[in-house]
Amino acid sequence: MNNLAVFERDGYLLVEVFSEDEVAALKKMLSTLIDPPASEHPRLHVHAASDQPLSHLDPFNPYAVWKIVNTPLAGDDWYRLIHDERVLGIVDELLGPDLNFHMGFARLRPAGLRAEEGWHRDLETDQHTLPELVTALIYLDDMDAESGATLVWPGSHHHREPKPSDAESVPVRARPGSVLFLHCLTAHRASTNMTDRHRSILIHEYKSARTVELTPNDAAFGDLPLRRKGRTVSTL
């Protein structure tokens, strides 16, 4: 079964994309933003649970940073990352050849920090004229049911029931470098990291060029053109 068929059936698709060395480089980039939390750029928002390093936490994330908004503004390497041709190639398969970038951020799972985000669909919070958005979640660590995996409800993009039963909820088990492509109508939620190790996810939202945002927010690149007729528009 090809990528599009799986995506249309389940509402999500998991693909191994980044190598071990690339993941190490991405984690190094992330470390410069969270230890200590970056504060230079006025639109790069780093949310930490503590203003002092906590000795009992994983040393990778000693301030318990749990979210970073507008990561593409953090530097040229971060901006280039949203143009990764392997990721764009898959989004092209799922949405078509004319793509824009919507927004980028990071979700971090410090050990023991409870995840409060409930079941939701991205189109409910990022409302657009058409349901033609795909969120790409880049996992930088092993993810399973105990370490804060993304929980999804397979097939929920075909109906609008509010939340699944326990039997319908599926944790996305992923290796470092894997990317989860998530339909904007697929119900999903965060889970709590129950291990003693930090977990990180970089998140990029893409959309078709013809879908228009109805609820503007502080996204750094709300309608940045990325591809037209399957060809890259611009990179650094």
Side-chain angles (χ1 to χ4, degrees):
M1 188 175 292
N2 62 32
N3 287 340
L4 181 58
V6 172
F7 187 75
E8 290 183 338
R9 181 194 66 191
D10 297 335
Y12 67 95
L13 173 72
L14 185 67
V15 182
E16 293 186 13
V17 175
F18 295 90
S19 69
E20 183 177 344
D21 288 344
E22 288 174 313
V23 170
L26 292 173
K27 293 193 74 169
K28 185 176 181 179
M29 286 166 51
L30 183 61
S31 180
T32 65
L33 300 184
I34 66 176
D35 186 16
S39 59
E40 293 81 7
H41 198 294
R43 292 189 66 197
L44 180 68
H45 307 299
V46 182
H47 301 274
S50 174
D51 58 4
Q52 298 292 328
L54 303 175
S55 59
H56 67 281
L57 290 182
D58 187 316
F60 181 79
N61 188 10
Y63 294 83
V65 173
W66 54 274
K67 186 177 182 181
I68 307 172
V69 179
N70 286 338
T71 49
L73 293 177
D76 292 349
D77 288 338
W78 288 96
Y79 183 72
R80 276 190 286 267
L81 183 60
I82 71 176
H83 294 82
D84 187 279
E85 285 296 323
R86 295 163 297 182
V87 173
L88 288 182
I90 295 173
V91 178
D92 185 313
E93 290 182 61
L94 307 180
L95 287 181
D98 298 326
L99 302 175
N100 287 353
F101 186 71
H102 180 50
M103 65 183 295
F105 55 104
R107 289 278 190 186
L108 291 81
R109 301 278 187 268
L113 188 68
R114 183 172 179 80
E116 298 295 339
E117 188 178 44
W119 287 101
H120 67 283
R121 305 166 199 262
D122 289 340
L123 197 65
E124 295 169 350
T125 53
D126 296 330
Q127 295 182 12
H128 283 72
T129 54
L130 294 167
E132 296 181 357
L133 295 92
V134 168
T135 301
L137 295 87
I138 304 171
Y139 296 105
L140 302 186
D141 302 280
D142 286 308
M143 303 296 285
D144 55 32
E146 289 73 40
S147 60
T150 307
L151 301 177
V152 296
W153 186 5
S156 55
H157 59 307
H158 293 307
H159 58 78
R160 300 306 299 270
E161 295 298 322
K163 62 181 181 179
S165 66
D166 290 342
E168 294 171 310
S169 171
V170 176
V172 176
R173 294 174 169 85
R175 297 195 298 184
S178 298
V179 180
L180 175 67
F181 297 88
L182 191 66
H183 192 290
C184 63
L185 289 176
T186 298
H188 62 285
R189 59 158 295 177
S191 64
T192 300
N193 180 9
M194 304 303 293
T195 74
D196 59 358
R197 301 176 304 280
H198 172 81
R199 294 292 180 260
S200 307
I201 309 171
L202 307 181
I203 303 174
H204 297 151
E205 294 187 16
Y206 300 92
K207 62 183 182 179
S208 71
R210 66 177 185 167
T211 188
V212 179
E213 187 176 25
L214 297 174
T215 53
N217 55 37
D218 193 35
F221 301 98
D223 290 293
L224 176 72
L226 294 180
R227 278 191 169 193
R228 292 296 183 267
K229 296 182 179 180
R231 299 182 64 181
T232 300
V233 174
S234 63
T235 58
L236 285 179

